[in-house]
């Protein structure tokens, strides 16, 4: 199955659930993530601020900040690249053509100090293959931080047997379902 066909299949699967149902499913996934040793002890976490059709991370962002951990979120810089920006009080704003909540502030560039990166995707395989939305934003970003431990986060219906890969695709070290 090619990437676009797989994207369409996952989109159909997502449409079977309301936003509220996906939020309920998100609780199970994020609770499992919170029990992970690497996650528990990570001081600097690159996360994403979820859109309605992704595993909801809003509570994770808030919890990590309450615990005093550094939370970094992506911000679209241009048509090719993401910046990584620390989250601070009232720093999230809907920006850009995708209307994703993004932090304001200066980009964070000390990628070696990131303990763990939690990455969204449309589909994953158990062995770490990831299918994104097709723009390559995360693959380009993750290529700049090869030593960071990468965790994919997805709903059970997003787990597939195989995903076609090319030389620019970055594998996850672990996938949480």
């Amino acid at each position: 199955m090619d990437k676009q066909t797989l994207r369409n299949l996952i989109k159909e699967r997502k449409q079977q659930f309301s936003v509220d149902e996906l939020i309920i499913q998100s609780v199970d996934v994020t609770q499992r993530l919170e029990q992970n040793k690497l996650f528990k002890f990570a001081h600097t976490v690159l996360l994403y601020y979820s859109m309605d059709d992704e595993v909801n991370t809003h509570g994770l962002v808030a919890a990590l900040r309450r615990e005093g951990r550094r939370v970094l979120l992506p911000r679209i810089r241009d048509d090719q690249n993401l910046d990584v920006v620390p989250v601070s009080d009232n720093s999230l704003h809907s920006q850009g053509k995708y209307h994703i909540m993004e932090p304001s502030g200066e980009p964070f560039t000390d990628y070696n100090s990131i303990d763990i990166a939690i990455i969204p995707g449309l589909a994953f395989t158990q062995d770490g293959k990831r299918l994104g939305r097709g723009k390559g934003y995360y693959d380009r970003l993750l290529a700049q931080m090869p030593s960071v431990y990468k965790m994919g986060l997805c709903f059970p219906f997003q787990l597939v047997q195989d995903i076609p890969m090319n030389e620019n695709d970055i594998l996850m070290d672990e996938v949480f379902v």
Side-chain angles (χ1 to χ4, degrees):
M1 185 178 309
D2 69 12
K3 287 184 177 186
Q4 193 53 52
T5 303
L6 189 50
R7 284 186 184 99
N8 292 339
L9 173 67
I10 298 299
K11 183 178 178 181
E12 287 174 16
R13 288 180 182 177
K14 283 183 179 185
Q15 290 173 343
Q16 296 175 16
F17 301 95
S18 69
V19 172
D20 289 339
E21 289 170 324
L22 291 177
I23 288 172
I24 291 167
Q25 288 185 38
S26 294
V27 172
D28 290 336
V29 178
T30 56
Q31 283 179 343
R32 277 192 292 282
L33 174 65
E34 290 175 310
Q35 297 309 308
N36 177 277
K37 245 185 232 185
L38 289 172
F39 183 82
K40 277 183 177 182
F41 296 108
H43 176 69
T44 301
V45 179
L46 169 58
L47 198 50
Y48 65 95
Y49 204 78
S50 56
M51 296 188 289
D52 286 346
D53 66 342
E54 296 173 325
V55 172
N56 188 291
T57 59
H58 301 184
L60 275 179
V61 170
L64 289 169
R65 294 204 60 243
R66 276 193 307 274
E67 294 169 8
R69 298 201 252 173
R70 181 186 293 149
V71 178
L72 308 171
L73 295 178
R75 179 176 67 204
I76 296 174
R77 179 186 331 147
D78 55 39
D79 287 341
Q80 298 284 314
N81 300 291
L82 296 173
D83 286 326
V84 174
V85 182
V87 177
S88 61
D89 291 337
N90 303 316
S91 71
L92 293 177
H93 306 282
S94 178
Q95 304 183 141
K97 59 184 173 183
Y98 301 110
H99 305 287
I100 300 169
M101 295 297 283
E102 297 178 329
S104 55
E106 290 300 311
F108 181 86
T109 57
D110 184 12
Y111 294 157
N112 288 330
S113 71
I114 299 173
D115 298 307
I116 197 167
I118 310 298
I119 308 298
L122 288 181
F124 291 91
T125 62
Q126 249 344 104
D127 63 351
K129 293 178 182 175
R130 175 185 168 273
L131 178 70
R133 295 183 186 262
K135 300 291 185 187
Y137 282 110
Y138 277 101
D139 292 312
R140 282 187 290 279
L141 176 64
L142 294 172
Q144 298 174 59
M145 48 182 79
S147 64
V148 171
Y149 195 83
K150 297 165 280 302
M151 291 181 161
L153 203 57
C154 69
F155 298 110
F157 63 82
Q158 292 176 281
L159 201 59
V160 297
Q161 287 295 324
D162 196 29
I163 295 172
M165 299 287 285
N166 67 39
E167 66 278 356
N168 297 317
D169 292 333
I170 302 291
L171 288 172
M172 301 292 103
D173 297 300
E174 193 169 353
V175 175
F176 271 87
V177 184

